[in-house]
């Protein structure tokens, strides 16, 4: 079974920092590393208390905030899909047979 906290964040496309700020209103020492541990209960044995989870559902459960859709390029998040060239070719022409061609695959 998937972790309820992680499911809420991923389904609503909610930034971690926004969730941390909501919980921090009632639990001032809550932070992003603790959020990460709560999302991985099976690995760390840490779970968010029910009243904090209720706060998150009240704030984000019904209507999640509008967020930037991640692009299909994993390392180029925030850029629109197709805005990055997948393969870049450049040539350095020199006279004679020693000319070079470089190919970079992004």
């Amino acid at each position: 079974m998937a972790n309820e906290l992680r499911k809420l964040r991923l389904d609503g496309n909610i930034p971690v920092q926004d969730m941390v700020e909501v919980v921090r209103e009632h639990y001032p020492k809550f932070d992003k590393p603790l959020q990460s541990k709560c999302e991985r209960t099976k690995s760390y044995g840490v779970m968010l208390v029910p009243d904090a989870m209720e706060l998150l559902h009240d704030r984000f459960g019904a209507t999640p905030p509008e967020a930037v859709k991640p692009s299909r390029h994993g390392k180029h998040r925030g850029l629109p899909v197709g805005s990055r060239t997948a393969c870049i070719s450049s040539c350095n022409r020199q006279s004679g047979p020693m000319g070079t061609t470089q190919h970079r695959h992004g």
Side-chain angles (χ1 to χ4, degrees):
M1 180 176 145
N3 184 290
E4 184 182 359
L5 180 62
R6 185 171 177 82
K7 184 174 180 351
L8 175 67
R9 181 175 62 82
L10 295 176
D11 288 350
N13 203 14
I14 304 166
V16 174
Q17 188 61 40
D18 291 354
M19 294 179 82
V20 168
E21 288 172 6
V22 170
V23 176
R24 198 176 276 170
E25 291 171 7
H26 293 276
Y27 298 95
K29 294 194 177 198
F30 190 78
D31 57 5
K32 286 170 87 170
L34 191 52
Q35 165 91 12
S36 177
K37 290 176 183 177
C38 289
E39 287 186 5
R40 293 162 181 82
T41 300
K42 287 186 179 181
S43 297
Y44 292 100
V46 177
M47 193 171 186
L48 195 61
V49 294
D51 63 321
M53 195 67 209
E54 189 175 318
L55 289 170
L56 290 170
H57 276 293
D58 290 345
R59 181 74 61 91
F60 301 113
T63 55
E66 195 67 31
V68 176
K69 181 180 177 185
S71 72
R72 63 186 172 139
H73 305 290
K75 62 184 177 181
H76 302 288
R77 290 186 182 98
L79 293 177
V81 174
S83 69
R84 183 167 190 309
T85 306
C87 179
I88 299 171
S89 295
S90 62
C91 297
N92 182 8
R93 294 192 55 170
Q94 296 176 352
S95 60
M98 299 302 285
T100 59
T101 302
Q102 298 177 346
H103 295 281
R104 289 187 309 172
H105 297 280

